[in-house]
Amino acid sequence: MSRTTPKQVLRNRSLASLVCAWVAIGAACGDGNAVNDVDLAELFEPGTHVVGYQQATTTYSRAGTGEPRALAMSLWYPASDDAPQGFAEYTTGGAISIPSTVALVSPAVAEGGPFPVVVYSHGAGGEAQHAYPYAEFLASHGFVVISPEHPGTTIADLGENYSAFERWILDRPADITASLDWLENPTLPEIAGRTDTSQVGLIGFSMGANGGYMLGGAELDREALRAACSPQDCPLLHVPEVDPAYAALADSRIVAHIAQAPGGHPSMDAVSLEGYRIPTMLQVGRLDASVSVEARSVPLWEAAGASEDVWVEMPRGAHLTFLPTCRDVPADLLAALLPTAADDGCGGAFVPIDVALDGLAGYAHAYLRIHLLDEPRWEPALDAPLRDGFEARPR
């Protein structure tokens, strides 16, 4: 099978946009709906930008202790196709190669900008590459997406190297802040001055969503945690000099949060969420076997109420429905590495992964355009069943 070239990708997207432009005003293009002369299908179709991909690293002072913490980051961005260098290739689990059919390796940044920024924060035992279905799509629409690899909670750290709760609740939000700081003074000269970090969106999956709540001003009930966890088991929680770091994780640059299958924590209750004010789209799978919707997502929805909040649900979705893992890892290997996969998103009882990822990205796209680009015309998408297998409702 021949592979689509970068120029063909751009040409196909441009033709698709031209065809949509010819459709009569008020008519739907593709599978979506048209509301108030806005073609909502555009939210789910690839944009006209060529997509570039690069990796970078940064080091910052670790929250609470000041020791250096090294951070690897993946970056997707709107690109020029003047000097294509072939397609990117991602690696999952340190061994499985995933060739991209969209993102090019290190092309120049597209003309224009500065471009809006979205951060993707992976889940427990995850990796930065899990961002790619969302990142490639959003970059084609003119967003820059940065995904930090959170040391201590990646797939490579599973086992004795895995960070304790008291440590990762500090590290992961700080990683996101460090990624944004790097974008404001990047080591890649071509990206310098090309991003707008004044209003940033965050897509956080599972544990990544937990960090999003911390960045939005929520605080854990540290007194309750200290009472439940001894100095021997949770030393950082009992160090007075570290305590202020737990209360200083908020980042005012984050203005919209896509919380996917949020893990939450029992101490993140109504009291601790009083300071949380970021508009949030909660994306959940009703069949999630890893993180109970009723035990985690519903309490967050009820406690952290902002008028702009939106609930997006997949009645046949589960935890792994939010990731490309089910399609990227061979079924026999996935069954050996993650025996619960077939019961938590990778089986025939669940919404197909491609359908799920396309739908999740489309709803996130609408929310990001509203809150990062001040485009309220997309608000009808937040109260419409735009895709089979999805339900949506604003607060």
Side-chain angles (χ1 to χ4, degrees):
M1 180 182 295
S2 61
R3 166 161 272 177
T4 306
T5 68
K7 289 185 180 293
Q8 287 172 328
V9 170
L10 179 61
R11 182 168 63 250
N12 292 344
R13 289 174 178 165
S14 299
L15 287 172
S17 298
L18 183 60
V19 170
C20 286
W22 286 340
V23 176
I25 293 177
C29 180
D31 294 333
N33 305 314
V35 180
N36 298 330
D37 295 340
V38 176
D39 181 14
L40 300 182
E42 183 181 332
L43 295 170
F44 299 87
E45 295 168 351
T48 57
H49 286 285
V50 169
V51 177
Y53 173 74
Q54 296 197 47
Q55 293 178 300
T57 59
T58 189
T59 301
Y60 71 96
S61 296
R62 203 174 192 188
T65 65
E67 61 187 343
R69 178 168 166 87
L71 196 65
M73 303 166 293
S74 292
L75 187 72
W76 292 262
Y77 55 92
S80 166
D81 70 335
D82 291 340
Q85 301 180 43
F87 286 95
E89 188 167 286
Y90 312 125
T91 302
T92 187
I96 300 172
S97 295
I98 307 161
S100 176
T101 59
V102 176
L104 303 178
V105 177
S106 304
V109 182
E111 294 297 322
F115 298 104
V117 173
V118 178
V119 182
Y120 180 90
S121 182
H122 66 74
E127 52 195 341
Q129 303 299 330
H130 285 162
Y132 84 82
Y134 306 103
E136 290 181 344
F137 176 77
L138 290 171
S140 79
H141 281 279
F143 294 83
V144 170
V145 181
I146 190 165
S147 179
E149 191 108 325
H150 298 292
T153 57
T154 70
I155 187 170
D157 298 313
L158 292 175
E160 62 182 19
N161 293 324
Y162 201 79
S163 289
F165 169 80
E166 60 163 1
R167 183 69 260 176
W168 66 248
I169 201 61
L170 284 172
D171 285 341
R172 290 173 63 94
D175 289 346
I176 293 170
T177 289
S179 298
L180 295 178
D181 291 344
W182 177 87
L183 272 181
E184 293 177 352
N185 188 26
T187 52
L188 300 176
E190 61 271 29
I191 203 74
R194 307 299 299 279
T195 60
D196 178 6
T197 57
S198 64
Q199 296 191 106
V200 174
L202 170 65
I203 300 176
F205 169 67
S206 194
M207 187 185 285
N210 188 296
Y213 283 99
M214 301 296 102
L215 288 161
E219 293 184 31
L220 296 177
D221 187 341
R222 296 187 298 283
E223 289 300 326
L225 287 175
R226 279 191 282 264
C229 194
S230 70
Q232 290 73 32
D233 295 329
C234 300
L236 282 178
L237 280 171
H238 296 268
V239 177
E241 293 79 12
V242 174
D243 194 60
Y246 286 97
L249 296 172
D251 192 320
S252 62
R253 292 172 292 189
I254 307 292
V255 300
H257 183 196
I258 315 295
Q260 297 183 326
H265 190 275
S267 66
M268 214 158 67
D269 56 15
V271 174
S272 66
L273 288 169
E274 283 181 354
Y276 182 77
R277 293 292 181 269
I278 295 180
T280 299
M281 172 178 280
L282 264 166
Q283 295 185 336
V284 305
R286 181 55 65 174
L287 303 180
D288 195 321
S290 295
V291 178
S292 166
V293 173
E294 292 298 327
R296 290 289 181 263
S297 297
V298 171
L300 288 172
W301 174 259
E302 293 176 346
S307 60
E308 304 96 333
D309 290 352
V310 178
W311 179 278
V312 174
E313 178 174 321
M314 296 178 290
R316 293 175 53 230
H319 209 63
L320 293 179
T321 310
F322 292 87
L323 304 176
T325 304
C326 298
R327 72 183 184 194
D328 289 344
V329 180
D332 55 346
L333 180 58
L334 184 61
L337 296 175
L338 191 62
T340 60
D343 299 319
D344 207 7
C346 295
F350 304 99
V351 59
I353 294 299
D354 288 343
V355 173
L357 294 176
D358 289 349
L360 293 165
Y363 277 107
H365 183 203
Y367 207 61
L368 294 168
R369 297 199 76 89
I370 292 167
H371 291 285
L372 271 60
L373 302 180
D374 192 24
E375 295 182 358
R377 63 196 177 101
W378 300 111
E379 288 177 357
L382 308 182
D383 192 18
L386 299 182
R387 281 291 186 270
D388 289 341
F390 285 84
E391 298 174 1
R393 66 177 186 274
R395 188 177 294 280

